[in-house]
Structures are given as structure tokens and as C-alpha cells.
């Protein structure tokens, strides 16, 4: 049996349920932070993940938004307008060139520290995390070039 929800979990879950009931967009991490009264947006992200693991909600993630489904009622928050896939859901090739962490440390030590913390939060090796960042950035550049009507050279992804 699952332990009861904490106060913050109950507040966030209730906010998601209401949004789904009335068909509003999924609440943002900032909105959820205000609802529960915690000091960090990352706390709300972790609470949403816990609610997912407990089987109370299901989250469809996109690059700049998300849609939340309440399992018990089958209701969902409003559909999102931008369905660009979240970079973590896009598979990348096994071998992607990436900067070494040492190179990042030399140029921007604070950024290197942020990358290390983020990789640990995600449970990823640092080199894999950096490769994912490079891959997602490249995919975003390709998408932007296609929107502008530029074309890629076959196989190399270069504009032309």
C-alpha cells in the first residue's frame, strides 16, 4: 500500500485534477510552486514525477509544454499547440561528437558545474548528458532551418 500523499503532493495533484476537469492547460512548474509554497521549481518537477510513479497521473511531455492526464477520471488538461517532442524523447545516434567536460570547465566553469549537477539529477553519465545536449541542440537548429525554408544537404544536416 502506498503511503499517503504529502501536503505538497495533495496540493499539486488537486491543481492538476482541477485543470483537467475544466480543460485548462497543464499548470506550469512555476504555478505549481506557488500552489504548494515550496522554494524551488525543481521540487514541483520531482513531485509530478512521484505522482506519475504512483500511477495517479500520466504526463505527455513536449519541448515547451506538457499535457497531464488524471488516471482515475481519464480527464486531461487542454491539448497543447506546440507538439515539438521533448529533446529527451528523441533518440540520438550512439556516437555523437560532443565537447569534453574539461573543455567546458576551461571556458565556463560555472556552466560545467551546472552540467554535472544536471547529469547527476538525470542519473546520466556526464559524457552522455553532454552528447544529448549537443544532439538536441542540433535537432533544434535543423527544425529552425526547416521552418525558415532552408534545406539540408543529404546526410550532413548542413543548410544550403
Amino acid at each position: 500500500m502506498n503511503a499517503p500523499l504529502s501536503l505538497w503532493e495533495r496540493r499539486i495533484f488537486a491543481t492538476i485534477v482541477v485543470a483537467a476537469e475544466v480543460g485548462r492547460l497543464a499548470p506550469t512548474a512555476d504555478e505549481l510552486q506557488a500552489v504548494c509554497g515550496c522554494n524551488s521549481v525543481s521540487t514541483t518537477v520531482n513531485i509530478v514525477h512521484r505522482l506519475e510513479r504512483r500511477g495517479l497521473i500520466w504526463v505527455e511531455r513536449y519541448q515547451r509544454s506538457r499535457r497531464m492526464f488524471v488516471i482515475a477520471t481519464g480527464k486531461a488538461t487542454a491539448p497543447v499547440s506546440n507538439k515539438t517532442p521533448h529533446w529527451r524523447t528523441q533518440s540520438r545516434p550512439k556516437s555523437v561528437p560532443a565537447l569534453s567536460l574539461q573543455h567546458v570547465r576551461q571556458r565556463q566553469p560555472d556552466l560545467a558545474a551546472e552540467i554535472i549537477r544536471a547529469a547527476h539529477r538525470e542519473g546520466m553519465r556526464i559524457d552522455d548528458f553532454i552528447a544529448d545536449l549537443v544532439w538536441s541542440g542540433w535537432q533544434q537548429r535543423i527544425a529552425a532551418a526547416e521552418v525558415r525554408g532552408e534545406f539540408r544537404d543529404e546526410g550532413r544536416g548542413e543548410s544550403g
Side-chain angles (χ1 to χ4, degrees):
M1 183 172 168
N2 286 335
L5 296 176
S6 71
L7 176 62
W8 288 354
E9 289 170 332
R10 287 194 311 269
R11 287 179 178 171
I12 287 176
F13 182 59
T15 302
I16 294 167
V17 167
V18 168
E21 286 291 325
V22 298
R24 282 196 324 251
L25 289 172
T28 66
D30 288 334
E31 291 168 340
L32 293 177
Q33 181 184 3
V35 165
C36 76
C38 63
N39 294 328
S40 169
V41 169
S42 66
T43 299
T44 65
V45 172
N46 291 329
I47 290 172
V48 168
H49 284 295
R50 285 199 305 263
L51 294 173
E52 279 185 284
R53 283 192 305 272
R54 291 183 77 154
L56 298 172
I57 62 172
W58 175 66
V59 181
E60 199 174 67
R61 289 174 175 82
Y62 300 98
Q63 189 67 32
R64 303 205 182 279
S65 59
R66 62 186 171 186
R67 188 170 189 203
M68 298 176 158
F69 298 81
V70 178
I71 303 299
T73 64
K75 295 199 176 191
T77 57
V80 300
S81 58
N82 182 348
K83 292 192 175 188
T84 302
H86 193 281
W87 66 268
R88 287 186 191 110
T89 63
Q90 296 177 344
S91 61
R92 69 172 168 87
K94 294 291 182 203
S95 175
V96 172
L99 291 173
S100 69
L101 183 62
Q102 187 61 27
H103 183 79
V104 177
R105 273 191 183 131
Q106 288 172 351
R107 296 185 80 186
Q108 294 191 16
D110 293 341
L111 177 59
E114 286 181 48
I115 289 171
I116 291 168
R117 285 192 298 274
H120 286 289
R121 272 195 313 272
E122 298 292 325
M124 294 177 71
R125 292 180 33 211
I126 294 166
D127 57 339
D128 284 339
F129 187 82
I130 292 172
D132 276 354
L133 290 174
V134 170
W135 176 249
S136 62
W138 184 248
Q139 293 300 313
Q140 290 299 96
R141 286 181 64 96
I142 290 170
E146 289 173 351
V147 166
R148 291 189 306 266
E150 298 171 2
F151 299 99
R152 301 182 312 168
D153 256 0
E154 263 187 65
R156 293 188 302 179
E158 296 173 358
S159 313

